[in-house]
PDB file of all heavy atoms in Angstrom:
ATOM      1  N   LEU A 221    -327.650 159.546  63.469  1.00  0.00           N
ATOM      2  CA  LEU A 221    -327.908 158.535  64.501  1.00  0.00           C
ATOM      3  C   LEU A 221    -328.831 159.040  65.598  1.00  0.00           C
ATOM      4  O   LEU A 221    -329.620 158.284  66.147  1.00  0.00           O
ATOM      5  CB  LEU A 221    -326.582 158.073  65.135  1.00  0.00           C
ATOM      6  CG  LEU A 221    -325.775 157.065  64.353  1.00  0.00           C
ATOM      7  CD1 LEU A 221    -324.600 156.580  65.194  1.00  0.00           C
ATOM      8  CD2 LEU A 221    -326.646 155.872  63.956  1.00  0.00           C
ATOM      9  N   ALA A 222    -328.728 160.327  65.904  1.00  0.00           N
ATOM     10  CA  ALA A 222    -329.556 160.880  66.978  1.00  0.00           C
ATOM     11  C   ALA A 222    -331.039 160.648  66.704  1.00  0.00           C
ATOM     12  O   ALA A 222    -331.843 160.543  67.632  1.00  0.00           O
ATOM     13  CB  ALA A 222    -329.259 162.370  67.138  1.00  0.00           C
ATOM     14  N   LYS A 223    -331.386 160.521  65.426  1.00  0.00           N
ATOM     15  CA  LYS A 223    -332.799 160.303  65.079  1.00  0.00           C
ATOM     16  C   LYS A 223    -333.216 158.840  65.187  1.00  0.00           C
ATOM     17  O   LYS A 223    -334.401 158.533  65.210  1.00  0.00           O
ATOM     18  CB  LYS A 223    -333.042 160.777  63.636  1.00  0.00           C
ATOM     19  CG  LYS A 223    -332.973 162.289  63.488  1.00  0.00           C
ATOM     20  CD  LYS A 223    -333.251 162.685  62.037  1.00  0.00           C
ATOM     21  CE  LYS A 223    -332.162 163.619  61.539  1.00  0.00           C
ATOM     22  NZ  LYS A 223    -331.658 163.340  60.233  1.00  0.00           N
ATOM     23  N   HIS A 224    -332.219 157.945  65.184  1.00  0.00           N
ATOM     24  CA  HIS A 224    -332.567 156.521  65.054  1.00  0.00           C
ATOM     25  C   HIS A 224    -332.039 155.633  66.174  1.00  0.00           C
ATOM     26  O   HIS A 224    -332.280 154.432  66.156  1.00  0.00           O
ATOM     27  CB  HIS A 224    -332.027 155.972  63.725  1.00  0.00           C
ATOM     28  CG  HIS A 224    -332.546 156.678  62.518  1.00  0.00           C
ATOM     29  ND1 HIS A 224    -333.814 156.464  62.007  1.00  0.00           N
ATOM     30  CD2 HIS A 224    -331.978 157.625  61.727  1.00  0.00           C
ATOM     31  CE1 HIS A 224    -333.996 157.225  60.946  1.00  0.00           C
ATOM     32  NE2 HIS A 224    -332.897 157.947  60.754  1.00  0.00           N
ATOM     33  N   ALA A 225    -331.281 156.199  67.099  1.00  0.00           N
ATOM     34  CA  ALA A 225    -330.663 155.342  68.128  1.00  0.00           C
ATOM     35  C   ALA A 225    -330.392 156.162  69.383  1.00  0.00           C
ATOM     36  O   ALA A 225    -330.570 157.377  69.397  1.00  0.00           O
ATOM     37  CB  ALA A 225    -329.365 154.744  67.597  1.00  0.00           C
ATOM     38  N   ASP A 226    -329.932 155.487  70.432  1.00  0.00           N
ATOM     39  CA  ASP A 226    -329.649 156.163  71.699  1.00  0.00           C
ATOM     40  C   ASP A 226    -328.174 156.494  71.875  1.00  0.00           C
ATOM     41  O   ASP A 226    -327.817 157.351  72.663  1.00  0.00           O
ATOM     42  CB  ASP A 226    -330.098 155.270  72.863  1.00  0.00           C
ATOM     43  CG  ASP A 226    -331.559 154.881  72.731  1.00  0.00           C
ATOM     44  OD1 ASP A 226    -332.413 155.786  72.833  1.00  0.00           O
ATOM     45  OD2 ASP A 226    -331.842 153.696  72.466  1.00  0.00           O
ATOM     46  N   MET A 227    -327.338 155.760  71.132  1.00  0.00           N
ATOM     47  CA  MET A 227    -325.900 155.958  71.331  1.00  0.00           C
ATOM     48  C   MET A 227    -325.145 155.701  70.034  1.00  0.00           C
ATOM     49  O   MET A 227    -325.476 154.783  69.291  1.00  0.00           O
ATOM     50  CB  MET A 227    -325.396 154.999  72.435  1.00  0.00           C
ATOM     51  CG  MET A 227    -323.904 155.099  72.706  1.00  0.00           C
ATOM     52  SD  MET A 227    -323.460 154.384  74.311  1.00  0.00           S
ATOM     53  CE  MET A 227    -323.681 152.649  73.997  1.00  0.00           C
ATOM     54  N   GLY A 228    -324.143 156.531  69.790  1.00  0.00           N
ATOM     55  CA  GLY A 228    -323.246 156.301  68.656  1.00  0.00           C
ATOM     56  C   GLY A 228    -321.969 155.651  69.162  1.00  0.00           C
ATOM     57  O   GLY A 228    -321.517 155.928  70.267  1.00  0.00           O
ATOM     58  N   ILE A 229    -321.396 154.765  68.353  1.00  0.00           N
ATOM     59  CA  ILE A 229    -320.177 154.071  68.753  1.00  0.00           C
ATOM     60  C   ILE A 229    -319.072 154.399  67.754  1.00  0.00           C
ATOM     61  O   ILE A 229    -319.224 154.192  66.552  1.00  0.00           O
ATOM     62  CB  ILE A 229    -320.405 152.541  68.811  1.00  0.00           C
ATOM     63  CG1 ILE A 229    -321.520 152.234  69.816  1.00  0.00           C
ATOM     64  CG2 ILE A 229    -319.112 151.817  69.200  1.00  0.00           C
ATOM     65  CD1 ILE A 229    -322.029 150.805  69.786  1.00  0.00           C
ATOM     66  N   ILE A 230    -317.984 154.962  68.274  1.00  0.00           N
ATOM     67  CA  ILE A 230    -316.876 155.362  67.414  1.00  0.00           C
ATOM     68  C   ILE A 230    -315.693 154.441  67.648  1.00  0.00           C
ATOM     69  O   ILE A 230    -315.214 154.315  68.772  1.00  0.00           O
ATOM     70  CB  ILE A 230    -316.458 156.819  67.706  1.00  0.00           C
ATOM     71  CG1 ILE A 230    -317.612 157.749  67.344  1.00  0.00           C
ATOM     72  CG2 ILE A 230    -315.200 157.181  66.928  1.00  0.00           C
ATOM     73  CD1 ILE A 230    -317.333 159.206  67.672  1.00  0.00           C
ATOM     74  N   GLY A 231    -315.258 153.765  66.581  1.00  0.00           N
ATOM     75  CA  GLY A 231    -314.136 152.841  66.717  1.00  0.00           C
ATOM     76  C   GLY A 231    -312.976 153.282  65.858  1.00  0.00           C
ATOM     77  O   GLY A 231    -312.099 154.045  66.275  1.00  0.00           O
ATOM     78  N   THR A 232    -313.012 152.814  64.614  1.00  0.00           N
ATOM     79  CA  THR A 232    -311.897 152.999  63.689  1.00  0.00           C
ATOM     80  C   THR A 232    -311.468 154.454  63.531  1.00  0.00           C
ATOM     81  O   THR A 232    -310.270 154.755  63.527  1.00  0.00           O
ATOM     82  CB  THR A 232    -312.283 152.440  62.313  1.00  0.00           C
ATOM     83  OG1 THR A 232    -312.760 151.102  62.492  1.00  0.00           O
ATOM     84  CG2 THR A 232    -311.089 152.405  61.373  1.00  0.00           C
ATOM     85  N   ALA A 233    -312.442 155.358  63.404  1.00  0.00           N
ATOM     86  CA  ALA A 233    -312.107 156.751  63.088  1.00  0.00           C
ATOM     87  C   ALA A 233    -311.195 157.374  64.148  1.00  0.00           C
ATOM     88  O   ALA A 233    -310.273 158.122  63.817  1.00  0.00           O
ATOM     89  CB  ALA A 233    -313.384 157.573  62.931  1.00  0.00           C
ATOM     90  N   ALA A 234    -311.443 157.030  65.416  1.00  0.00           N
ATOM     91  CA  ALA A 234    -310.613 157.608  66.482  1.00  0.00           C
ATOM     92  C   ALA A 234    -309.205 157.023  66.461  1.00  0.00           C
ATOM     93  O   ALA A 234    -308.218 157.749  66.631  1.00  0.00           O
ATOM     94  CB  ALA A 234    -311.270 157.364  67.844  1.00  0.00           C
ATOM     95  N   LEU A 235    -309.113 155.720  66.223  1.00  0.00           N
ATOM     96  CA  LEU A 235    -307.780 155.102  66.172  1.00  0.00           C
ATOM     97  C   LEU A 235    -306.983 155.643  64.979  1.00  0.00           C
ATOM     98  O   LEU A 235    -305.790 155.917  65.070  1.00  0.00           O
ATOM     99  CB  LEU A 235    -307.892 153.573  66.091  1.00  0.00           C
ATOM    100  CG  LEU A 235    -306.555 152.806  66.057  1.00  0.00           C
ATOM    101  CD1 LEU A 235    -305.670 153.133  67.253  1.00  0.00           C
ATOM    102  CD2 LEU A 235    -306.783 151.289  66.002  1.00  0.00           C
ATOM    103  N   LYS A 236    -307.707 155.821  63.869  1.00  0.00           N
ATOM    104  CA  LYS A 236    -307.071 156.355  62.668  1.00  0.00           C
ATOM    105  C   LYS A 236    -306.504 157.747  62.955  1.00  0.00           C
ATOM    106  O   LYS A 236    -305.365 158.057  62.578  1.00  0.00           O
ATOM    107  CB  LYS A 236    -308.127 156.447  61.565  1.00  0.00           C
ATOM    108  CG  LYS A 236    -307.594 156.237  60.178  1.00  0.00           C
ATOM    109  CD  LYS A 236    -308.779 156.029  59.242  1.00  0.00           C
ATOM    110  CE  LYS A 236    -308.456 156.474  57.831  1.00  0.00           C
ATOM    111  NZ  LYS A 236    -309.654 156.424  56.991  1.00  0.00           N
ATOM    112  N   ALA A 237    -307.296 158.563  63.652  1.00  0.00           N
ATOM    113  CA  ALA A 237    -306.838 159.909  63.987  1.00  0.00           C
ATOM    114  C   ALA A 237    -305.577 159.845  64.852  1.00  0.00           C
ATOM    115  O   ALA A 237    -304.597 160.543  64.606  1.00  0.00           O
ATOM    116  CB  ALA A 237    -307.941 160.675  64.716  1.00  0.00           C
ATOM    117  N   TRP A 238    -305.606 158.955  65.849  1.00  0.00           N
ATOM    118  CA  TRP A 238    -304.441 158.822  66.728  1.00  0.00           C
ATOM    119  C   TRP A 238    -303.204 158.398  65.927  1.00  0.00           C
ATOM    120  O   TRP A 238    -302.109 158.925  66.122  1.00  0.00           O
ATOM    121  CB  TRP A 238    -304.716 157.803  67.840  1.00  0.00           C
ATOM    122  CG  TRP A 238    -303.528 157.662  68.752  1.00  0.00           C
ATOM    123  CD1 TRP A 238    -302.506 156.758  68.623  1.00  0.00           C
ATOM    124  CD2 TRP A 238    -303.212 158.463  69.893  1.00  0.00           C
ATOM    125  NE1 TRP A 238    -301.581 156.936  69.614  1.00  0.00           N
ATOM    126  CE2 TRP A 238    -301.989 157.986  70.417  1.00  0.00           C
ATOM    127  CE3 TRP A 238    -303.863 159.530  70.532  1.00  0.00           C
ATOM    128  CZ2 TRP A 238    -301.384 158.543  71.535  1.00  0.00           C
ATOM    129  CZ3 TRP A 238    -303.260 160.079  71.660  1.00  0.00           C
ATOM    130  CH2 TRP A 238    -302.043 159.593  72.154  1.00  0.00           C
ATOM    131  N   GLU A 239    -303.393 157.449  65.009  1.00  0.00           N
ATOM    132  CA  GLU A 239    -302.264 156.969  64.202  1.00  0.00           C
ATOM    133  C   GLU A 239    -301.695 158.093  63.339  1.00  0.00           C
ATOM    134  O   GLU A 239    -300.506 158.141  63.086  1.00  0.00           O
ATOM    135  CB  GLU A 239    -302.726 155.839  63.274  1.00  0.00           C
ATOM    136  CG  GLU A 239    -303.332 154.673  63.999  1.00  0.00           C
ATOM    137  CD  GLU A 239    -302.413 153.472  64.059  1.00  0.00           C
ATOM    138  OE1 GLU A 239    -302.281 152.785  63.053  1.00  0.00           O
ATOM    139  OE2 GLU A 239    -301.833 153.248  65.140  1.00  0.00           O
ATOM    140  N   GLU A 240    -302.589 158.983  62.901  1.00  0.00           N
ATOM    141  CA  GLU A 240    -302.134 160.044  62.008  1.00  0.00           C
ATOM    142  C   GLU A 240    -301.388 161.151  62.739  1.00  0.00           C
ATOM    143  O   GLU A 240    -300.459 161.741  62.203  1.00  0.00           O
ATOM    144  CB  GLU A 240    -303.322 160.640  61.240  1.00  0.00           C
ATOM    145  CG  GLU A 240    -303.687 159.808  60.023  1.00  0.00           C
ATOM    146  CD  GLU A 240    -305.079 160.120  59.496  1.00  0.00           C
ATOM    147  OE1 GLU A 240    -305.665 161.154  59.905  1.00  0.00           O
ATOM    148  OE2 GLU A 240    -305.586 159.327  58.702  1.00  0.00           O
ATOM    149  N   GLY A 241    -301.805 161.445  63.972  1.00  0.00           N
ATOM    150  CA  GLY A 241    -301.151 162.579  64.623  1.00  0.00           C
ATOM    151  C   GLY A 241    -301.370 162.634  66.127  1.00  0.00           C
ATOM    152  O   GLY A 241    -301.432 163.719  66.712  1.00  0.00           O
ATOM    153  N   GLU A 242    -301.496 161.470  66.739  1.00  0.00           N
ATOM    154  CA  GLU A 242    -301.623 161.344  68.188  1.00  0.00           C
ATOM    155  C   GLU A 242    -302.593 162.355  68.796  1.00  0.00           C
ATOM    156  O   GLU A 242    -303.691 162.545  68.279  1.00  0.00           O
ATOM    157  CB  GLU A 242    -300.229 161.395  68.820  1.00  0.00           C
ATOM    158  CG  GLU A 242    -299.386 160.257  68.244  1.00  0.00           C
ATOM    159  CD  GLU A 242    -298.114 159.963  68.999  1.00  0.00           C
ATOM    160  OE1 GLU A 242    -297.826 160.604  70.013  1.00  0.00           O
ATOM    161  OE2 GLU A 242    -297.415 159.036  68.562  1.00  0.00           O
ATOM    162  N   GLU A 243    -302.146 162.979  69.929  1.00  0.00           N
ATOM    163  CA  GLU A 243    -303.110 163.780  70.700  1.00  0.00           C
ATOM    164  C   GLU A 243    -303.781 164.883  69.879  1.00  0.00           C
ATOM    165  O   GLU A 243    -304.989 165.083  69.957  1.00  0.00           O
ATOM    166  CB  GLU A 243    -302.400 164.406  71.907  1.00  0.00           C
ATOM    167  CG  GLU A 243    -302.168 163.397  73.009  1.00  0.00           C
ATOM    168  CD  GLU A 243    -301.144 163.882  74.011  1.00  0.00           C
ATOM    169  OE1 GLU A 243    -299.951 163.813  73.679  1.00  0.00           O
ATOM    170  OE2 GLU A 243    -301.541 164.324  75.096  1.00  0.00           O
ATOM    171  N   LYS A 244    -302.958 165.574  69.082  1.00  0.00           N
ATOM    172  CA  LYS A 244    -303.519 166.710  68.358  1.00  0.00           C
ATOM    173  C   LYS A 244    -304.590 166.246  67.369  1.00  0.00           C
ATOM    174  O   LYS A 244    -305.682 166.813  67.297  1.00  0.00           O
ATOM    175  CB  LYS A 244    -302.409 167.470  67.628  1.00  0.00           C
ATOM    176  CG  LYS A 244    -302.969 168.593  66.778  1.00  0.00           C
ATOM    177  CD  LYS A 244    -301.958 169.582  66.315  1.00  0.00           C
ATOM    178  CE  LYS A 244    -302.590 170.786  65.625  1.00  0.00           C
ATOM    179  NZ  LYS A 244    -303.773 170.504  64.811  1.00  0.00           N
ATOM    180  N   ALA A 245    -304.266 165.194  66.613  1.00  0.00           N
ATOM    181  CA  ALA A 245    -305.209 164.714  65.603  1.00  0.00           C
ATOM    182  C   ALA A 245    -306.478 164.165  66.261  1.00  0.00           C
ATOM    183  O   ALA A 245    -307.589 164.349  65.749  1.00  0.00           O
ATOM    184  CB  ALA A 245    -304.548 163.644  64.741  1.00  0.00           C
TER     185      ALA A 245
END
Side-chain angles (χ1 to χ4, degrees):
Chain A
L221 280 187
K223 290 181 231 136
H224 301 283
D226 305 294
M227 179 162 71
I229 301 169
I230 296 177
T232 308
L235 181 56
K236 212 167 152 187
W238 180 268
E239 302 255 284
E240 277 163 14
E242 301 194 1
E243 284 164 283
K244 176 165 188 324

